[in-house]
């Protein structure tokens, strides 16, 4: 059975969460924010109303999560007392402790996601590296991994653009992942992912190394102000490929957005290219492409701010965006993150979307640097 010290530790962590989250202040704020939604003219400005409802929803979520922790710690305390009287068993106390610990750790973990963009949905893009079919197959395996992770965690995952490989796999894919804190959880996946395996595409059965790049940006909504210069935008349309249907190869519903980006800080210029074939409706695809552009521009501004903060706080560990972050070595049954040194031998589980260990290790080490 658990010890009195374990019980005290859990009670102290519950009280610390109450202070850090400022639950009492959030409760008062929630009452004030809900009052605003009862204004008869509230829904006249739909955009403003939706932003307000999001504030209410976020406050409710934090309060509900804390209350679950509070109730669990109270039940644990009672169970610990009642075991002396024979009302509960030691096994029941241990089970209550395990439930409480899980709730406390999950809330502590979520409390680390306090960055400006952490609560947002995200755009996740995968590009295959050099190496033809092998790298394209690896890119498709990563796509499946993130889709499985999203499904397991209740996120909505949609593909906005997909280019299939020449023989197998994919050349590139862009996915929208929508749900609470999607960007906060996945932002650490930015970088180069390295695969080492005996290639099924190599007749000699040799070990091959493949690379794919993952880019994660927050999916901004209309409540975020992003400066998009319309004069720098140009559009192309093309026919979307696909599996049958009357529109296929007849209607140019696919859109290609070109944005001549000029970095406001360095003056460097580059073309941002976005393709969207998500629907058979060209105006809708244009809207989705513009949304992705705004997300990219927002992310660049956030990265600039982070770089400036890192310069000021030079003593803190720097996060290297775009560097090789993780190796997946199938033959040795090992997946290792090079930033945190977190690793697992459950290669099959990782490829089925079980990447929470990597996500948690990254946030535990780098959240303080970012926030």
């Amino acid at each position: 059975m658990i010890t009195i010290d374990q019980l005290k530790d859990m009670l102290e962590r519950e009280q610390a969460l109450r202070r850090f989250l400022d639950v009492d202040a959030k409760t008062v704020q929630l009452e004030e924010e809900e009052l605003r939604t009862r204004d008869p003219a509230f829904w006249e400005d739909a955009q403003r109303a939706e932003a307000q409802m999001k504030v209410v929803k976020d406050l409710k979520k934090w309060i509900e999560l804390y209350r679950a922790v509070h109730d669990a710690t109270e039940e644990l305390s009672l169970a610990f007392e009642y075991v002396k009287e024979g009302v509960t068993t030691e096994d029941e106390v241990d089970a209550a402790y395990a439930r409480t610990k899980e709730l406390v750790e999950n809330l502590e973990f979520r409390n680390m996601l306090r960055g400006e963009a952490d609560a947002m949905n995200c755009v996740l893009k995968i590009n295959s590296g050099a190496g033809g079919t092998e790298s394209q197959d690896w890119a498709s395996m990563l796509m499946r991994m993130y889709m499985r992770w999203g499904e397991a965690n209740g996120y909505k995952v949609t593909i906005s653009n997909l280019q299939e490989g020449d023989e197998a796999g994919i050349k590139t894919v862009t996915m929208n992942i929508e749900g609470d804190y999607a960007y906060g959880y996945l932002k650490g996946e930015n970088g180069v992912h390295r695969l080492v395996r005996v290639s099924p595409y190599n007749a000699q059965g040799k070990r091959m190394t493949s690379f794919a790049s993952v880019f994660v940006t927050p999916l901004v909504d209309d409540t975020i102000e992003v400066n998009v210069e319309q004069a720098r935008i140009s559009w192309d349309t093309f026919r979307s490929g696909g599996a049958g249907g009357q529109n296929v190869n007849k209607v140019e519903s696919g859109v290609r957005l070109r944005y001549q980006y000029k970095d406001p800080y360095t003056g460097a210029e580059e073309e941002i290219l976005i393709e969207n074939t998500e629907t058979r409706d060209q105006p809708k695809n244009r809207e989705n492409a513009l949304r992705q552009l705004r997300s990219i521009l927002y992310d660049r501004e956030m990265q600039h701010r982070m770089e400036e903060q890192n310069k000021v706080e030079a003593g803190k560990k720097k996060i290297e965006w775009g560097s090789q972050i993780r190796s997946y070595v199938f033959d040795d049954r090992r997946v290792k993150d090079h930033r945190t040194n977190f690793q697992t031998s459950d290669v099959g589980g990782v490829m089925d979307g079980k990447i929470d260990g990597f996500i948690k290790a990254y946030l535990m080490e780098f959240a303080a640097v970012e926030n």
Side-chain angles (χ1 to χ4, degrees):
M1 195 181 82
I2 66 167
T3 65
I4 186 65
D5 287 339
Q6 287 175 302
L7 175 62
K8 286 181 178 177
D9 175 65
M10 207 52 59
L11 295 174
E12 288 171 1
R13 287 165 74 178
E14 180 263 329
Q15 285 300 308
L17 281 168
R18 186 184 187 97
R19 291 193 301 273
F20 293 150
L21 297 175
D22 205 354
V23 175
D24 297 332
K26 277 185 169 64
T27 303
V28 172
Q29 185 185 355
L30 176 61
E31 294 174 358
E32 294 173 350
E33 300 295 351
E34 286 183 322
L35 278 175
R36 293 189 174 93
T37 68
R38 294 170 193 155
D39 187 327
F42 178 70
W43 286 103
E44 289 179 5
D45 186 338
Q47 183 176 322
R48 186 176 177 182
E50 287 176 7
Q52 179 65 19
M53 292 305 295
K54 186 177 184 303
V55 170
V56 170
K57 180 183 175 184
D58 288 347
L59 285 169
K60 277 185 177 179
K61 188 68 175 179
W62 282 112
I63 293 169
E64 288 169 0
L65 289 169
Y66 169 73
R67 284 177 179 166
V69 166
H70 175 71
D71 292 346
T73 52
E74 282 201 337
E75 289 175 12
L76 176 61
S77 296
L78 288 172
F80 192 84
E81 289 298 318
Y82 287 157
V83 78
K84 300 173 186 175
E85 303 169 18
V87 177
T88 57
T89 66
E90 292 185 358
D91 287 344
E92 287 174 328
V93 175
D94 288 340
Y97 176 77
R99 287 195 300 272
T100 304
K101 185 179 180 182
E102 182 179 7
L103 288 169
V104 168
E105 288 181 347
N106 287 343
L107 188 52
E108 288 173 340
F109 184 36
R110 186 169 181 142
N111 188 43
M112 292 187 292
L113 299 175
R114 290 177 290 170
E116 186 174 350
D118 284 345
M120 295 183 185
N121 304 324
C122 71
V123 178
L124 188 148
K125 184 175 183 180
I126 303 168
N127 290 331
S128 62
T133 301
E134 179 70 19
S135 291
Q136 290 165 15
D137 188 44
W138 174 225
S140 70
M141 293 166 70
L142 286 174
M143 177 180 75
R144 178 182 178 275
M145 182 183 80
Y146 289 118
M147 292 183 78
R148 287 290 183 92
W149 178 86
E151 291 164 3
N153 288 278
Y155 289 98
K156 178 184 176 183
V157 182
T158 55
I159 294 176
S160 59
N161 185 55
L162 174 67
Q163 293 181 26
E164 295 183 354
D166 297 324
E167 297 178 24
I170 61 171
K171 293 180 179 178
T172 183
V173 64
T174 303
M175 301 184 289
N176 291 350
I177 302 178
E178 300 177 60
D180 288 347
Y181 292 87
Y183 177 70
Y185 287 122
L186 290 175
K187 62 186 178 183
E189 297 301 297
N190 260 311
V192 176
H193 295 242
R194 171 177 171 258
L195 168 68
V196 180
R197 68 169 174 174
V198 174
S199 172
Y201 304 101
N202 184 280
Q204 287 77 40
K206 291 183 178 179
R207 250 188 171 200
M208 303 287 288
T209 300
S210 306
F211 297 91
S213 299
V214 175
F215 303 92
V216 184
T217 56
L219 184 59
V220 300
D221 54 32
D222 293 337
T223 63
I224 304 295
E225 291 186 12
V226 177
N227 181 32
V228 178
E229 297 181 50
Q230 296 298 321
R232 293 181 176 272
I233 293 178
S234 62
W235 294 93
D236 299 323
T237 58
F238 56 91
R239 295 175 182 176
S240 299
Q246 292 182 349
N247 276 348
V248 175
N249 296 327
K250 293 183 180 180
V251 179
E252 291 192 337
S253 57
V255 299
R256 185 178 294 113
L257 183 159
R258 299 179 187 276
Y259 187 74
Q260 304 306 316
Y261 173 73
K262 183 175 182 179
D263 191 304
Y265 302 102
T266 66
E269 297 189 17
E270 68 171 291
E271 181 179 83
I272 296 175
L273 177 65
I274 298 170
E275 292 185 349
N276 194 286
T277 57
E278 189 171 346
T279 73
R280 296 300 182 193
D281 181 345
Q282 188 189 107
K284 184 67 175 176
N285 288 342
R286 281 177 175 258
E287 180 183 327
N288 292 337
L290 280 170
R291 190 181 182 199
Q292 288 182 30
L293 173 63
R294 295 176 69 242
S295 296
I296 291 170
L297 297 180
Y298 178 87
D299 183 61
R300 293 195 176 192
E301 176 62 27
M302 289 299 101
Q303 287 194 39
H304 170 76
R305 293 184 190 180
M306 189 169 69
E307 287 168 2
E308 290 300 308
Q309 183 177 346
N310 285 342
K311 290 177 184 176
V312 174
E313 302 178 8
K316 292 185 177 180
K317 192 168 183 177
K318 187 178 180 183
I319 299 170
E320 294 289 347
W321 295 90
S323 60
Q324 181 176 308
I325 66 163
R326 193 175 301 149
S327 291
Y328 306 69
V329 186
F330 283 10
D331 296 348
D332 296 343
R333 300 196 60 77
R334 175 172 53 87
V335 182
K336 180 178 180 179
D337 195 294
H338 303 296
R339 302 161 301 178
T340 64
N341 289 322
F342 179 87
Q343 62 181 335
T344 178
S345 60
D346 185 14
V347 174
V350 169
M351 299 318 300
D352 277 335
K354 295 178 182 177
I355 58 173
D356 287 337
F358 294 99
I359 291 172
K360 186 171 184 178
Y362 174 85
L363 290 174
M364 291 290 286
E365 185 159 349
F366 293 105
V369 178
E370 296 176 346
N371 293 329

